[in-house]
Amino acid sequence: MDSHTYPVTRTDAEWRARLTPEQYAVMRNHGTERPGSCALLHEKRAGTFSCVGCDQPLFESKLKFESGTGWPSFNDPVPGSVETTVDRSYGMVRTECHCARCGSHLGHVFEDGPPPTGLRYCINGVALKFEPAA
């Protein structure tokens, strides 16, 4: 993780206790889940997708769309919930997105999404939990 201080911090042992091994690999070590492997990819009910690491609401279901990539995709996050950094790993330049509250890696944002934003927040489903609307 970077040196930025987040409102929610945990020790490595606390993160490992809170997250599954796959969640830990993605969220704390900037990994990626296998495409098509998460049930949330097909979630279509009204509700909110939140960070598994700290419960921060991240994305509203009304801005989720089918991108065909194998990962849950969204037009735009809940305002102030997601921060971005430049990711230069794997010999390419991408925009990483992470939770603004705990710093956990969520995925990447690309400029090939549909209107109105033209953005595609391509998010690892294991980093998300879904809360259906009441």
Side-chain angles (χ1 to χ4, degrees), residues 50-121:
S50 298
C51 177
V52 169
C54 69
D55 303 322
Q56 164 99 324
L58 299 171
F59 299 96
E60 296 295 331
S61 61
K62 65 185 174 194
L63 294 177
K64 184 176 186 279
F65 66 93
E66 179 51 55
S67 65
T69 61
W71 290 278
S73 296
F74 303 86
N75 282 114
D76 217 9
V78 171
S81 67
V82 173
E83 295 177 345
T84 61
T85 55
V86 175
D87 175 3
R88 297 182 190 282
S89 63
Y90 303 106
M92 61 183 106
V93 178
R94 300 179 290 174
T95 302
E96 177 199 354
C97 53
H98 54 272
C99 176
R101 185 184 287 167
C102 71
S104 290
H105 172 76
L106 302 172
H108 293 85
V109 60
F110 302 96
E111 295 180 351
D112 62 0
T117 66
L119 299 176
R120 174 174 54 93
Y121 284 81

Side-chain angles (χ1 to χ4, degrees), residues 6-53:
Y6 295 94
V8 172
T9 58
R10 293 183 168 80
T11 65
D12 188 63
E14 289 170 331
W15 281 117
R16 288 181 184 277
R18 181 176 180 95
L19 305 173
T20 67
E22 184 181 23
Q23 288 170 330
Y24 183 88
V26 167
M27 298 174 74
R28 305 314 299 171
N29 287 329
H30 301 260
T32 301
E33 68 189 1
R34 282 184 303 105
S37 65
C38 180
L40 290 181
L41 176 62
H42 305 292
E43 181 58 65
K44 297 186 184 331
R45 295 174 291 170
T48 303
F49 294 85
S50 298
C51 177
V52 169

Side-chain angles (χ1 to χ4, degrees), residues 114-129:
T117 66
L119 299 176
R120 174 174 54 93
Y121 284 81
C122 187
I123 306 300
N124 289 286
V126 297
L128 303 172
K129 64 181 181 179

